[in-house]
Amino acid sequence: MSEMKISQQLEQLDEDDNVENRSERLPQLRSYVHRVRSSSSKSIGHMNTYIRSNNRRGSGRRSYQRLRFPVARYSRREMPLKGPFVSFMPGTPIVADRSTKQTIIYSKTEVYIIPPLINTYGNSYSIAELIASGDASLDRSGGPPVNPIHMKRFFQRQSLTGPNIPMINSKQGGFKGGVRTNSGSFLISKPYETRPNIDSKYESEEKEDEKESSQEQEQEQENKYRPPSNVNNYYYKKPRNRYEASNSNSFEIEGNNRPHQTTTQTSTSRGMNTTTNGVEIHLTLYIDIIYPYGRSNKAIISANYSFPGPLIEAYEGDTLVIRVINLLDVPTTMHWHGIYQTNTPDMDGAVGITQCAIPPKNEMIYKFIAEPAGTTWYHGHLLEQYTDGLYGPIIIRQRHEPNQDKYDSEQTLMVADWYNLQAHTQLLPWYLNPNNTDGNEPSPDAIVVNGKFTQALSISLSKSSRILFRIINTAAFSMYNVSIDGLPLHIIALDQMATLPYTVNCFYINVAQRVLFYIDLSELNSEYTASGTLSTSAVYIRFQAMLSMYPVDTVNYIPPYEKQRYPYPTFFNPLYLAILSFNDTNSIPSYSASETTPALQNTVTPIDTNILAARPFYQNTNEIPKATYYLSLVIAFQTSANGINYAYLNNVTYSSDANYMHMRPAPRRGITSDEYAPLLYQMVTKPNNLNIPSPRIESGSLLPTIQSDGYGHYLVPYQAVVDIYLNNTDDGEHPFHLHGHKFWIIATSDYPDAEFLYAGDYIQRDTISIPASGWAKIRYVADKPGAWFFHCHIEWHMSAGLALAFITSPQQLLAEGYTISSDEQKLCQALRKFNKKHNSE
């Protein structure tokens, strides 16, 4: 068969397939590869394929990163061209197998089969479609393939022996065992090499044959920051047995049956087997840019090239050692939300409070105890980076989990706002602007759960009927109502506090809060069963955004900065639908999402967002301590002299050069706004010169009132038991988070009776939702010396100054032996060097 006839047949196949969009990233592929009649001339080898990088070099063109693929080669007479295939490039002898997504390339005498590429979610892509879309190339030039393709120039034959050679499939063509090539991300922002994991065996070449620019040479000098292919690489300090997992978010472990799965897209086992206390768990997080959506130019700031970032999992009491490497062009940091940071106040990750920012091409190693047990998350704490995707889940398990007899499997769902524009460079300048006279926050463009848009997330329950759901609100702005059609929700944890089962039909969850609940399919409403009027093999999981949170009619509102972006809607859809399938075929509900859902029996609707009626699993054996100090805080928004609408706590908008919150002049004495001297460092370098008054008796309270320096820094005595009364004068609900601590929620204006109904047994959370135009009363124990941020977790409000810092006992911090480490000093010096160079350019 001539090359011209091959091309003509490929064109005909393309017309028959009627593929609507040749660059579609997730084509619906079915398979057919003709059986091989003879194996006499088959061979195996490898070839290099170049995957497009995000950055543009000095010439303005895209750079390409080389990956090494295994290739199976057959003679053409053994593999005659037979359809149906998918052809992405009419006129070229390149097609894709419909089911396996293997790429098939025909040359004059041979047929070459290349396995698919997988991303961090485990989704497969054929090399053919990536070449067609311009995201991959057969050579470094990045140009389109030409016909004929001289594959002998690319193919390098290898011996058929050895442990690193995948087995060839002599019956169907290709490879045995479903070989797939993992690169972590198809569009990596900088030309760092990765080592693809081909069934945990193949490795890429260690370095490029030649350098194409001086920029690459500079990056080669910084090769200690090159991410390996298995970027989510855990290991335990004390080696025992090694276990390996094969998906792209897996990690190697040295320990006894530790968790094997780190992706938030799939279910995990109920618990981990018991192992020795005090194990060190090591993990590296690479912070870089990815473009996970084919038709969106929105850059996602990611941890380890996945969105969300990988799951971090440990037992309570383990030590986490996490190396964070910054591959961005701007500084970054990482906050470990809800972690106590006992004896490690410098590991909290709050820039300007506990550390200097991590400058580009630098790193910081965070080391802390995994406590308390429960579900939480990590996220960027600088430049609104978590709004653009820098977050991931943390699960800290107990060896004997509360309520562990209630469920058999589990799912983690991270719900978040999606913005078409970048948060810090595009949305924040519009928000903090005199032209935004009403101070309206940027309205989200969509909702995502685990990085997927509405009706794109399907959960199959074929092997389990009792499922635990871990819901984490990672939004920058939105609050959601959560429900599952036809099923009662049995809440068993709030933030990181286990509760007795509390059965509800729905619940609200504000930003940064976590709610855990289990469902039991035996309790499915009869209307959804085979004999019911809504008989179905799947139901909807609903995340309904609370419209009263938004300052505008967001359903019909087009922001002045917005542009139409297909396929992401200009008009916000406040209802997100995920699909819960009762079988393994990913069924979809047979009823319309707009149909009225039947009322559930034996359930309640919580009367408040914080769910104060839920009862702690562990009863308080000791009485909740009585308050010894008092602090009243008034939340307000008002227009400043420069015409910008800022946020205020007790008439102070928090401002700090260190975290790029430039709202007002910095103090000249006491605690200063020093980009290279976080508050924690100032506590030990000038503990007696912070210029903050001691607590004193004031009108309105019989207890001494905590005082501030007038700049948002409040001095708290060691072991003080502080009652905080938050008076919200704003017409929006505000989720406030206290770093390093839990607090008891005594009552709110939504549930004032809780103070008396649950006296001595209040629930504890680390994030409280303060009702709109209402109040909340909380109590916490200042048992950790250090600097602790207390702020609204709506990202726009924190950027507008709705924050303060508690300075807990500098003297006790010194007494416990805290010093500024040499690594921390070097990090601040590196930041100074970066800023000096950046500001001079």
Side-chain angles (χ1 to χ4, degrees), residues 230-288:
N230 195 351
V231 291
N232 301 333
N233 183 32
Y234 278 83
Y235 69 88
Y236 289 78
K237 193 168 184 179
K238 298 178 181 179
R240 296 180 182 89
N241 298 317
R242 174 168 294 178
Y243 299 84
E244 292 185 357
S246 60
N247 83 15
S248 60
N249 269 347
S250 64
F251 47 83
E252 289 188 356
I253 2 177
E254 294 179 1
N256 262 339
N257 292 344
R258 304 298 291 198
H260 287 192
Q261 192 101 26
T262 66
T263 175
T264 58
Q265 298 292 330
T266 58
S267 62
T268 59
S269 62
R270 184 177 63 194
M272 300 181 292
N273 295 334
T274 302
T275 188
T276 307
N277 280 323
V279 171
E280 280 192 2
I281 304 172
H282 292 245
L283 168 66
T284 299
L285 295 179
Y286 295 89
I287 312 305
D288 206 347

Side-chain angles (χ1 to χ4, degrees), residues 129-150:
E129 63 180 302
L130 294 180
I131 292 175
S133 65
D135 294 325
S137 175
L138 293 177
D139 56 40
R140 190 178 284 109
S141 69
V146 295
N147 189 13
I149 296 175
H150 300 289

Side-chain angles (χ1 to χ4, degrees), residues 34-44 72-81 104-113 152 155 168 173:
H34 192 72
R35 291 171 62 92
V36 177
R37 294 189 296 269
S38 168
S39 61
S40 59
S41 58
K42 68 177 182 292
S43 61
I44 195 166
R73 181 176 68 180
Y74 302 85
S75 69
R76 206 178 72 187
R77 68 176 181 274
E78 294 172 332
M79 291 289 292
L81 181 62
I104 303 166
I105 302 179
Y106 280 79
S107 70
K108 270 192 171 183
T109 58
E110 290 93 15
V111 176
Y112 299 83
I113 299 179
K152 289 182 179 179
F155 180 78
I168 202 165

Side-chain angles (χ1 to χ4, degrees), residues 499-655:
T499 70
L500 297 171
Y502 181 62
T503 304
V504 301
N505 48 46
C506 65
F507 61 86
Y508 281 104
I509 184 170
N510 211 335
V511 176
Q513 292 185 321
R514 291 86 69 205
V515 176
L516 274 62
F517 66 86
Y518 72 87
I519 60 171
D520 189 333
L521 295 187
S522 66
E523 299 176 337
L524 183 66
N525 186 284
S526 59
E527 293 295 311
Y528 295 92
T529 61
S531 59
T533 58
L534 299 174
S535 175
T536 182
S537 56
V539 294
Y540 289 113
I541 303 174
R542 298 174 185 259
F543 293 86
Q544 175 71 55
M546 184 176 175
L547 295 180
S548 61
M549 286 284 293
Y550 307 119
V552 296
D553 177 14
T554 187
V555 175
N556 301 296
Y557 173 70
I558 301 179
Y561 51 78
E562 187 62 271
K563 294 181 181 179
Q564 180 75 28
R565 276 177 169 77
Y566 180 84
Y568 309 116
T570 294
F571 292 107
F572 176 63
N573 181 358
L575 176 61
Y576 181 99
L577 298 172
I579 298 171
L580 184 66
S581 175
F582 303 150
N583 52 44
D584 56 3
T585 60
N586 289 327
S587 300
I588 62 174
S590 58
Y591 61 93
S592 170
S594 61
E595 291 188 38
T596 302
T597 57
L600 298 177
Q601 302 298 316
N602 302 317
T603 64
V604 298
T605 302
I607 63 176
D608 69 312
T609 303
N610 298 298
I611 317 180
L612 300 184
R615 298 293 79 225
F617 186 87
Y618 301 105
Q619 300 296 309
N620 288 309
T621 56
N622 300 318
E623 289 187 4
I624 295 174
K626 294 182 179 179
T628 57
Y629 293 87
Y630 177 77
L631 176 62
S632 177
L633 297 172
V634 177
I635 301 167
F637 286 78
Q638 57 189 11
T639 302
S640 66
N642 63 7
I644 297 176
N645 193 276
Y646 288 129
Y648 295 82
L649 285 172
N650 286 359
N651 296 315
V652 174
T653 182
Y654 193 82
S655 179

